[in-house]
Amino acid sequence: MSPPHTEFAPPGRPGTPASLRESLSALRGCPRPAWKAAIACVLAMAFSPPALVTAVTFLVDPVAKDFGWSHSETLSIFNIPTVAAPFVLPLAGRWVDRWGARAVAVPGTALYALSTAAVALVGANGVVLTTVLLVSTALGYTSILGVVYKVVSQWFPHHRGLGYSLLIGATSSLAGAALAPLSQLSIEHFGWRTTYLLIGGCILAFVFPAQYFLMYEPAVPPLAPGNADAPTGAGPTAHRELPGLPLGRALRTRAWWYTVLVLTVAAGVAMSVRLNAVSLFGEQGYSATEVSLSVSVMLVASVAGQILAGMVLDRSRTPRAFVPFMVCLVLGTVMVFVATGDMWALFVTMVLLGVVTGAESTTGPYLVGCYFGMRAFAQIQGITLGVVSLVGIGVFPVLAQGAAESTGGYTATLVALTAAGLIVLALSVSLPAYPSPAAHDSDADEPAAGSADERMGSH
């Protein structure tokens, strides 16, 4: 029998704050250990692989010149780890679910720091550089991305959406924005090798101590918001069986398939426009400078989308709270047709798509927690994020660009992207209702055949 897990409460259930003011007031009443864990998450995300990827823009040229490689070859070496590393997330999630967040975060962060600094020692060997970058990025995903979602879920059960958006998504975006110019200055003054040593040193100096001293899961489910005496031990959480569906059952539910499809297409459509923005909007009369400015606007809008989605989801009774963001996706793709030289049309387009990219990153872990509970949360979230990253961010933009080249323009591609947006808008309306808390507080044994799918598919 699983112990009662009063922490889990899908949004809109009794006890959930009804207004934003009450919600923020309840958030301030979370126990002190929760805020310590939040600080650890923020510091970790500030130096996570998604934040550090902004430095790649400034690293490619100096590395290529130093080793005598072409720009495209060097860019490929840096991109391979970005695409491949998320595949460690299901394994990282399994470790976190089995041994606890701290047991994975502390040694993983130390190795992440050392492997990042080790990039500075690599010579002109493409295979070795790719391997070191891949190991470093994979360790970063394991010790940070594999950990923070579950920690936020357990410490802030009534504010998961806001926690995902502020502590994880917005932190990564804002840190990336700050690290980009800092990386450029460091490379110009000290060189790319010293820059990697400095990054590794910062991870070791700031992230590792935070993970060691502050990164704990609650030993028992947190009490009602406002109780500051919740225990902080890490051990019991790592070994007790949390309620929720096991991994195999969760991946066979309609809820998971719908969630993955909606998130993947939403990310894929928006990123297809963003990553091909220069050629796409250049064809419509915009200069590269104007497009780059619009991409910056899109990034700022993504932070707003993360925060807005977190607030909306926390105060909603249904996963259909994501539907308005999918409407923004469709409107954004339609606006691409309208953006034919006017800067305001271009900015509106990128704001709509930016809001979608931010909302998508917050909605994914939120739906996973609400549909499947905490029993295999880290594993399910790892697989979900891996699929969305690979297909939505990795494959979609490449297919979009290839289709544009084969048809001699972006018109057919944009029609296809708009149609895809309409399809997943319809699917987002059909997302199954959240299960009742009792469904996650039931016995840990396997449910009867078919019951999980029925429960996930109920409306």
Side-chain angles (χ1 to χ4, degrees):
M1 296 283 290
S2 295
H5 198 50
T6 56
E7 168 203 1
F8 176 78
R13 302 298 179 190
T16 300
S19 70
L20 179 59
R21 178 179 297 179
E22 291 173 343
S23 178
L24 293 176
S25 177
L27 185 61
R28 288 194 296 270
C30 288
R32 184 177 301 174
W35 292 111
K36 290 182 178 180
I39 293 172
C41 290
V42 167
L43 288 173
M45 287 305 303
F47 292 95
S48 65
L52 293 177
V53 76
T54 58
V56 171
T57 303
F58 310 102
L59 286 164
V60 172
D61 281 342
V63 171
K65 292 177 181 177
D66 195 8
F67 293 154
W69 297 338
S70 68
H71 185 278
S72 60
E73 179 184 6
T74 310
L75 183 60
S76 298
I77 289 174
F78 278 93
N79 280 346
I80 289 173
T82 302
V83 174
F87 282 102
V88 305
L89 285 172
L91 180 60
R94 180 176 179 83
W95 292 341
V96 171
D97 288 333
R98 182 174 181 180
W99 297 318
R102 190 169 179 270
V104 175
V106 172
T109 300
L111 294 174
Y112 175 43
L114 295 176
S115 59
T116 300
V119 177
L121 307 177
V122 176
N125 187 311
V127 175
V128 174
L129 179 59
T130 302
T131 301
V132 175
L133 287 170
L134 181 59
V135 170
S136 172
T137 308
L139 287 168
Y141 271 93
T142 299
S143 60
I144 297 177
L145 274 299
V147 169
V148 293
Y149 283 105
K150 187 165 187 177
V151 170
V152 170
S153 296
Q154 292 191 283
W155 275 121
F156 301 97
H158 302 287
H159 304 88
R160 287 173 178 163
L162 203 57
Y164 296 146
S165 60
L166 291 177
L167 303 179
I168 299 176
T171 297
S172 175
S173 299
L174 295 175
L179 288 171
L182 290 175
S183 299
Q184 182 183 18
L185 289 173
S186 177
I187 292 168
E188 289 179 353
H189 289 84
F190 307 114
W192 68 269
R193 293 184 185 275
T194 302
T195 299
Y196 265 108
L197 290 174
L198 290 173
I199 293 173
C202 287
I203 295 171
L204 199 59
F206 298 111
V207 182
F208 178 77
Q211 304 284 63
Y212 186 85
F213 292 108
L214 304 177
M215 182 64 79
Y216 285 100
E217 297 169 89
V220 296
L223 303 177
N227 188 335
D229 298 323
T232 63
T237 302
H239 301 289
R240 66 188 178 91
E241 189 74 33
L242 297 175
L245 290 184
L247 176 64
R249 299 289 297 189
L251 298 187
R252 292 196 295 271
T253 61
R254 182 163 62 93
W256 186 77
W257 283 99
Y258 274 31
T259 297
V260 168
L261 185 57
V262 168
L263 296 177
T264 299
V265 175
V269 171
M271 292 304 293
S272 294
V273 175
R274 174 183 162 183
L275 296 181
N276 298 304
V278 174
S279 56
L280 168 59
F281 291 110
E283 189 178 89
Q284 299 182 194
Y286 294 96
S287 68
T289 301
E290 291 172 332
V291 174
S292 65
L293 182 59
S294 73
V295 171
S296 298
V297 170
M298 183 179 182
L299 293 174
V300 173
S302 72
V303 177
Q306 291 166 350
I307 298 172
L308 182 60
M311 295 170 60
V312 169
L313 290 168
D314 278 336
R315 300 173 63 204
S316 173
R317 298 174 179 271
T318 169
R320 296 182 183 90
F322 187 54
V323 171
F325 297 100
M326 298 305 297
V327 173
C328 289
L329 178 70
V330 176
L331 292 177
T333 55
V334 171
M335 281 295 299
V336 176
F337 292 98
V338 180
T340 55
D342 182 77
M343 285 301 295
W344 284 110
L346 178 60
F347 285 168
V348 169
T349 300
M350 299 305 265
V351 165
L352 288 169
L353 296 177
V355 167
V356 173
T357 59
E360 172 268 323
S361 65
T362 296
T363 303
Y366 191 88
L367 294 183
V368 168
C370 286
Y371 279 134
F372 311 118
M374 291 291 106
R375 178 175 179 180
F377 173 86
Q379 297 175 71
I380 301 169
Q381 166 59 15
I383 293 174
T384 304
L385 183 57
V387 173
V388 173
S389 299
L390 174 64
V391 181
I393 300 175
V395 175
F396 252 78
V398 175
L399 293 178
Q401 180 61 28
E405 292 175 356
S406 63
T407 58
Y410 284 94
T411 301
T413 299
L414 290 174
V415 170
L417 293 177
T418 304
L422 287 169
I423 292 172
V424 294
L425 170 59
L427 282 179
S428 66
V429 176
S430 304
L431 282 169
Y434 296 133
S436 65
H440 293 288
D441 291 335
S442 58
D443 292 350
D445 295 332
E446 285 282 323
S451 63
D453 292 295
E454 292 172 2
R455 182 166 62 248
M456 295 300 109
S458 63
H459 290 274

